[in-house]
Amino acid sequence: MFVQGLKCLFCETVYPVRVGYTCPRCGIVGILDVQYDYARIGRILTRRRLAARSDQSHWRYRELLPIGSNAALPALSVGGTPLTSTPALARHVGLAKLFLKDDGRNATGSLKDRASSVGVVKAREKRRPIIACASTGNAASSCAGMAASMGLKSVIFVPERAPEPKVTQLLIFGATVLRVRGSYEDAFQLCQRSCGKWGWYNRNSGINPYLVEGKKTAGLEIGEQLAWEPTDWVAVSVGDGCTVAGVWKGFRELKALGLIPRTPRILGVQAEGAAPVTAAFLSGEPMRPIEPATLADSIAVGVPRNWKRAVLAVRESGGAMINVSDGEILEAMRYTGRLSGIFAEPAAATAVAGLQRAVAEGCVGRRASAVALITGNGLKDVQSARAAAGQPYDIAPDGAALEEILRERKLIE
Ligand SMILES: *Cc1c(COP(=O)(O)O)cnc(C)c1O
């Protein structure tokens, strides 16, 4: 392992890896960041060595992950998701070049698999047979799926409003599913207490320092897939803030290792009704909790734990934060599907909607290139998708109205 220690993002104390989940001095706000020996890693992870590796999963960057070289890994495949050039979508949002990184193609359908896969490896390493998580959906289904793949048991706390498809995934993966009558925050607090009481491994990205390490592999992959020439911008939707901070850490590491000449700017995008991180970014003040109101359930976080990590990341990248409305999110789901063939869940389409707005407001230039990170698959929340997609034409079996419809759709003259 190349891990040197864990550094508190608040008081900046560096601890040995044996410390608990958060900073012993700062408590739950003392989020810890994993520190590596980049000089040693740089001698191993060269462009040529990486090109010669046949493993396409995110474990190809194992030197940059907090896992032992002989650690048992889940059998499910994580990472290595496609980066697709989407010229028609680029024209629509007003950019010179746009790529979608489709992380809906991970084992359980979201980017969270990158984090959960590291979580279950750590749980096994610490000999904990049960892993627990509180989540609005994707972290939960991903945690349950990875636990099943690894032979661990999972206990999952979800808020009342978690979408049915995600809850169904949990049940299929054999998790003990506790639907908490309350908000995500209520579910989070109950999970925290339960982990403390029964000694379960805690997969909450708000406090577990290792999960962001898994998420950063999305940034590492984007760098490598673009032949080490990153786009000008990378757009990432923000709920808790762990994902955007992880993606940025990936790029910062690629730069530190001399693998890329420059880093992209990060565009962090929140939903208007759940935007405490954008508010903190713009004001420079500490984050103020809010009552979230957005249909993008995966980013409906009122008390983001990683807000500071997110704000520092976007700022360090020279990037920006922007908010979009639920209307813009639904619209982005529709035009992204129509113009690229990629089906994004609301929180994922948020990144595309953010780029469109950033271009319209002049924050991102029209000659710029960008990647939008598609963090979750659209089938994860069919109800929202149907609100975006509209209705099919109901026709009689004799096809009476068929020609009229085809003419209306301009499919025939
Ligand atoms: C979790 C999630 C996000 C946001 O990640 P945070 O770490 O909470 O900021 C965005 N989109 C999808 C689909 C997610 O599941």
Side-chain angles (χ1 to χ4, degrees):
M1 254 216 292
F2 298 86
V3 174
Q4 287 182 319
L6 297 168
K7 180 177 168 188
C8 174
L9 286 178
F10 274 76
C11 72
E12 305 200 339
T13 308
V14 179
Y15 297 96
V17 289
R18 279 187 311 280
V19 77
Y21 294 106
T22 51
C23 175
R25 220 186 288 168
C26 301
I28 194 153
V29 297
I31 300 271
L32 298 171
D33 185 55
V34 184
Q35 311 279 301
Y36 296 86
D37 183 348
Y38 292 116
R40 257 177 74 218
I41 295 173
R43 287 195 287 277
I44 300 168
L45 276 192
T46 61
R47 289 184 182 186
R48 199 147 49 101
R49 283 264 189 77
L50 274 167
R53 284 191 180 169
S54 57
D55 183 356
Q56 293 304 311
S57 80
H58 72 334
W59 304 118
R60 72 193 266 104
Y61 308 106
R62 61 184 173 269
E63 288 86 353
L64 287 168
L65 291 170
I67 58 167
S69 49
N70 297 319
L73 304 175
L76 286 174
S77 148
V78 180
T81 57
L83 184 76
T84 308
S85 175
T86 54
L89 186 60
R91 273 193 296 281
H92 184 83
V93 303
L95 283 165
K97 207 157 181 46
L98 176 60
F99 299 86
L100 298 185
K101 171 79 169 156
D102 189 6
D103 252 45
R105 301 268 287 269
N106 279 303
T108 75
S110 84
L111 176 137
K112 296 292 194 295
D113 286 345
R114 296 180 186 272
S116 296
S117 56
V118 173
V120 292
V121 170
K122 297 308 280 184
R124 172 63 68 78
E125 182 189 286
K126 294 179 191 304
R127 300 182 198 286
R128 309 279 183 87
I130 299 176
I131 184 166
C133 163
S135 158
T136 59
N138 284 332
S141 45
S142 156
C143 180
M146 290 298 146
S149 169
M150 198 77 163
L152 301 173
K153 293 202 163 94
S154 60
V155 179
I156 311 289
F157 298 83
V158 294
E160 234 170 346
R161 33 174 285 152
E164 268 318 299
K166 297 182 185 180
V167 175
T168 309
Q169 268 186 307
L170 291 175
L171 297 166
I172 286 287
F173 295 144
T176 297
V177 184
L178 303 154
R179 191 150 50 186
V180 182
R181 275 192 299 276
S183 66
Y184 168 70
E185 184 56 22
D186 295 322
F188 177 86
Q189 294 296 349
L190 186 54
C191 181
Q192 287 293 107
R193 289 201 298 277
S194 306
C195 284
K197 189 161 175 190
W198 289 293
W200 303 333
Y201 192 71
N202 192 339
R203 186 246 177 264
N204 276 335
S205 48
I207 55 128
N208 186 316
Y210 298 115
L211 302 170
V212 70
E213 301 303 307
K215 289 182 177 182
K216 82 186 176 191
T217 60
L220 300 174
E221 283 179 15
I222 291 170
E224 192 177 5
Q225 286 172 312
L226 289 171
W228 311 113
E229 285 292 337
T231 45
D232 301 313
W233 289 84
V234 173
V236 183
S237 60
V238 179
D240 174 71
C242 175
T243 303
V244 73
V247 168
W248 168 247
K249 188 169 183 183
F251 287 114
R252 188 158 48 74
E253 290 185 337
L254 291 179
K255 179 84 182 351
L257 295 169
L259 291 167
I260 54 173
R262 55 177 190 85
T263 51
R265 292 166 187 250
I266 303 292
L267 182 69
V269 189
Q270 292 214 283
E272 255 167 30
V277 182
T278 303
F281 179 84
L282 296 177
S283 70
E285 305 272 312
M287 183 275 301
R288 273 199 224 114
I290 51 102
E291 208 41 67
T294 170
L295 62 81
D297 66 286
S298 301
I299 50 171
V301 183
V303 193
R305 309 282 159 186
N306 273 290
W307 70 270
K308 178 140 186 190
R309 207 201 290 258
V311 166
L312 290 174
V314 176
R315 204 167 281 149
E316 198 184 358
S317 81
M321 296 252 351
I322 201 166
N323 298 339
V324 293
S325 68
D326 280 6
E328 287 171 276
I329 292 171
L330 285 179
E331 207 186 308
M333 279 177 80
R334 203 175 322 125
Y335 64 70
T336 300
R338 176 165 52 84
L339 298 172
S340 75
I342 291 173
F343 188 7
E345 70 161 89
T350 298
V352 181
L355 272 174
Q356 188 186 43
R357 183 178 264 251
V359 171
E361 290 183 358
C363 159
V364 169
R366 294 192 162 266
R367 254 179 249 127
S369 59
V371 172
L373 186 54
I374 303 300
T375 41
N377 189 291
L379 290 173
K380 291 256 190 184
D381 181 4
V382 176
Q383 211 185 334
S384 296
R386 286 305 293 271
Q391 295 300 325
Y393 298 96
D394 289 316
I395 63 167
D398 64 2
L402 188 55
E403 282 198 22
E404 201 181 312
I405 294 163
L406 295 178
R407 216 165 280 121
E408 185 190 309
R409 298 284 295 183
K410 297 197 170 54
L411 293 168
I412 58 170
E413 292 281 308

